[in-house]
Amino acid sequence: MRQPDPICIPVIHTDIGANPTPDDADTILQAQFMATCLKELGYAAPLLPFRPASLKRELTALKAAAIFNLVEAIGSEDERASEAPALFEAWNIPYSGNSALTLNSLINKPTVKRRLSQYGMPTPAFPEDGAQGKQWILKSETFHCSRGIDHRNVSSDMDALNAL
């Protein structure tokens, strides 16, 4: 008697080019790790880059029951990451992670920080809040993690940070 095919949960990750950044390379490692974990649990877990033009067709062919979502950026733009769950929602396919609405509401770090403060959650001060003379880490408002940060982004020299 033929065994039934395992339930398919593809690991969909950021579409990364031929020369990945360290962050992009880490995304691939995470995707590979999650696929291994899902396979150990008895699922089929192919790795698929997020390419909307062909993705629906691939998911249908795989009979995907759900998606493990590791799309962190689209076209090197972190602020577009919510496009992946928006598509999954439109296609009525369950997926891991936050909804498109949640990702959109959390993409801007200063906005989130101010919102947390409104609800009494402690957050580190902004330099303009009067905390001059301290060492700061300059980060993008919308890039996640440490993408684009090097030694120049850590300084107590506000003029240098403003110039950067």
Side-chain angles (χ1 to χ4, degrees):
M1 177 184 235
R2 183 180 181 273
Q3 290 288 338
D5 290 335
I7 295 171
C8 184
I9 303 177
V11 178
I12 300 178
H13 58 82
T14 304
D15 188 10
I16 296 168
N19 300 310
T21 66
D23 288 328
D24 290 338
D26 186 57
T27 297
I28 295 299
L29 289 174
Q30 291 173 40
Q32 291 168 338
F33 176 76
M34 289 315 307
T36 298
C37 291
L38 287 166
K39 289 174 187 175
E40 287 174 1
L41 293 170
Y43 297 96
L47 294 172
L48 297 175
F50 183 72
R51 295 179 182 150
S54 60
L55 190 57
K56 177 79 187 248
R57 186 173 53 257
E58 291 175 281
L59 294 172
T60 301
L62 291 167
K63 298 178 185 165
I67 292 167
F68 196 97
N69 179 22
L70 284 177
V71 179
E72 296 182 350
I74 297 174
S76 299
E77 297 176 35
D78 294 5
E79 59 272 18
R80 293 183 57 204
S82 65
E83 293 176 27
L87 266 182
F88 307 152
E89 291 163 13
W91 296 337
N92 291 314
I93 300 173
Y95 61 93
S96 66
N98 287 311
S99 69
L101 179 64
T102 298
L103 288 174
N104 280 327
S105 68
L106 297 174
I107 193 66
N108 184 284
K109 290 180 190 81
T111 300
V112 170
K113 182 178 167 58
R114 287 185 178 91
R115 190 176 300 157
L116 289 171
S117 293
Q118 288 174 341
Y119 289 95
M121 305 269 316
T123 66
F126 283 113
E128 59 267 23
D129 294 336
Q132 299 292 335
K134 294 188 176 185
Q135 196 156 35
W136 299 97
I137 300 173
L138 178 66
K139 295 181 81 174
S140 165
E141 287 186 358
T142 57
F143 284 174
H144 66 275
C145 301
S146 58
R147 184 146 76 110
I149 293 179
D150 62 26
H151 69 280
R152 298 171 300 158
N153 294 71
V154 181
S155 179
S156 57
D157 182 347
M158 293 306 298
D159 291 333
L161 290 174
N162 285 329
L164 184 60

